[in-house]
Amino acid sequence: MTVCLDQLRRCHVAVDLGAARTRVYVKGSGLVVDQPSVAAVNTRTGALIAVGEFAEKMTGRTPAYIRVARPVSGGTVVDIEMAQRMLRHLLGEKLRRSLRRKPRLRAAACTPHDADPLAQRAAIETLVGLGARRVELVDTLVAAAVGCGLPVEQPEASMIMVCGAAATQIAVLSLGNIVTAERIPVGGEAVDHAIVQHLRHEHALMLPSQSVRPLQLALSGNGLTPHGPASTEIQGRDVATGLARSVKVDTAAVRNAIQTPLTAVLDGIGKVLRDCPPDLVADLADRGIMMVGGSALLPGLDQMLRHATGMPVHIAERPDICAVQGLGAMLEGRIQPLTLDPLAA
């Protein structure tokens, strides 16, 4: 981490390209972009129509010649050209002009844990296409741990769980490095999909649009917690007739429906703890798990983890922006690594 920090202090901009949202941190200015990773394209002309929130609102509401694209999937750039065009419009002409004035523009980017070389290359190519001369890659787990204030540089255990849209990453960190980690291909989208399938099979109901998180529609009022309302009423489209219809959904049944994807997350936590040295596990018994990422705000998820593991579970103050804030702290030089000098003979 020491060598990485030396390089990161020379960077001018940090980018967190997530499956759900794209965030950009500019050195000296802070967080300047926080928008959905969505772009709308006219397939007839190839012109970019909208990006960010406006493009996300167009999902499921466009004519056939307009395609709503998501250039990032699972934290990996799957369409480099579209990702570059999306970033250019999100940054805006004024900010791009100020970045171009840098003699040798350096950028930093988050990458998922154990990202393959192809995924790393895609992230680098995306930022090089925006004018970056050098790109530093930082593990999302390390960046998120720094962003939520965990003492990752100290010789004590810190456990972090990054709950993303497409995947969940779990790790134990000590002395600025990852001791053991696991990446599970289950995230907020899998939970949403489980709820959509439950409503379709049990109530023959389709939700109006995939652009609005089905979870927020079906479980308003903290319905996923045992102390929440017993039922909630939602509106959707009848599968058979195609007409609008409202049904009353039992929240206890919805809780059972999402147990399957969440069980995979519990298995990942167990594997990380089994691979961790006993001394670090003893630290975690008191410190617990820190949850970050947009899906960390899933109602009742922290209670379920607390009950299943017997460990304290905390949610970061701003879990959705912890990764990019951690990158920003490294860029600004606010993180001082623990120096391990060799002892004299």
Side-chain angles (χ1 to χ4, degrees):
M1 188 172 174
T2 308
V3 177
C4 186
L5 281 176
D6 291 339
Q7 299 292 338
L8 284 170
R9 289 194 188 100
R10 303 176 189 175
C11 293
H12 306 98
V13 62
V15 179
D16 179 16
L17 279 168
R21 299 184 75 86
T22 293
R23 299 175 177 93
V24 179
Y25 185 104
V26 175
K27 193 172 186 177
S29 300
L31 188 64
V32 296
V33 172
D34 185 3
Q35 293 278 341
S37 304
V38 188
V41 185
N42 186 329
T43 56
R44 294 174 180 171
T45 63
L48 200 63
I49 298 173
V51 295
E53 290 181 358
F54 187 51
E56 189 175 49
K57 290 178 182 177
M58 296 169 68
T59 305
R61 296 181 171 89
T62 61
Y65 68 91
I66 294 179
R67 180 174 65 95
V68 178
R70 294 181 178 270
V72 185
S73 176
T76 302
V77 178
V78 294
D79 188 338
I80 295 175
E81 182 185 356
M82 187 60 65
Q84 290 173 350
R85 295 175 69 185
M86 181 186 72
L87 272 173
R88 286 192 193 100
H89 283 78
L90 288 177
L91 288 171
E93 183 61 34
K94 183 179 179 182
L95 185 55
R96 292 208 316 272
R97 196 182 301 119
S98 67
L99 290 176
R100 280 199 296 265
R101 294 196 191 105
K102 308 290 184 185
R104 287 185 61 83
L105 180 63
R106 289 172 174 246
C110 288
T111 55
H113 180 68
D114 283 345
D116 57 75
L118 193 62
Q120 295 178 3
R121 188 66 188 172
I124 293 172
E125 289 291 334
T126 301
L127 297 183
V128 166
L130 294 176
R133 297 293 187 89
R134 184 183 175 97
V135 179
E136 302 290 341
L137 299 180
V138 180
D139 196 305
T140 302
L141 290 164
V142 176
V146 171
C148 64
L150 291 178
V152 293
E153 71 279 1
Q154 297 300 320
E156 53 193 36
S158 299
M159 189 170 189
I160 189 162
M161 178 173 161
V162 180
C163 308
T168 300
Q169 303 174 66
I170 307 158
V172 174
L173 299 97
S174 180
L175 285 174
N177 285 288
I178 296 172
V179 178
T180 177
E182 190 73 18
R183 185 168 181 259
I184 303 107
V186 173
E189 291 175 355
V191 173
D192 293 347
H193 181 70
I195 295 173
V196 169
Q197 292 302 311
H198 170 76
L199 295 175
R200 187 184 179 97
H201 293 152
E202 297 297 324
H203 302 280
L205 192 78
M206 292 184 66
L207 292 182
S209 174
Q210 297 300 322
S211 64
V212 181
R213 289 201 64 186
L215 185 65
Q216 297 174 354
L217 287 173
L219 299 172
S220 57
N222 228 19
L224 265 182
T225 63
H227 307 293
S231 62
T232 183
E233 188 169 333
I234 63 169
Q235 292 185 341
R237 191 185 75 186
D238 190 281
V239 173
T241 65
L243 300 175
R245 181 164 64 92
S246 63
V247 297
K248 189 166 282 189
V249 179
D250 182 14
T251 53
V254 176
R255 279 203 304 273
N256 293 332
I258 67 172
Q259 285 300 315
T260 301
L262 294 182
T263 300
V265 175
L266 291 175
D267 292 342
I269 293 175
K271 187 176 187 309
V272 168
L273 292 175
R274 286 194 299 272
D275 295 342
C276 191
D279 290 341
L280 294 180
V281 175
D283 291 345
L284 296 174
D286 298 326
R287 305 179 66 108
I289 306 171
M290 178 65 75
M291 293 173 59
V292 302
S295 299
L297 300 174
L298 178 70
L301 178 57
D302 57 333
Q303 295 180 13
M304 190 198 76
L305 293 178
R306 199 175 293 118
H307 180 264
T309 63
M311 297 165 58
V313 178
H314 314 283
I315 300 177
E317 186 176 351
R318 288 291 308 276
D320 51 338
I321 61 171
C322 280
V324 73
Q325 292 283 30
L327 277 181
M330 296 179 194
L331 262 63
E332 304 282 4
R334 295 198 295 265
I335 305 300
Q336 297 299 325
L338 185 66
T339 306
L340 300 175
D341 292 325
L343 298 175

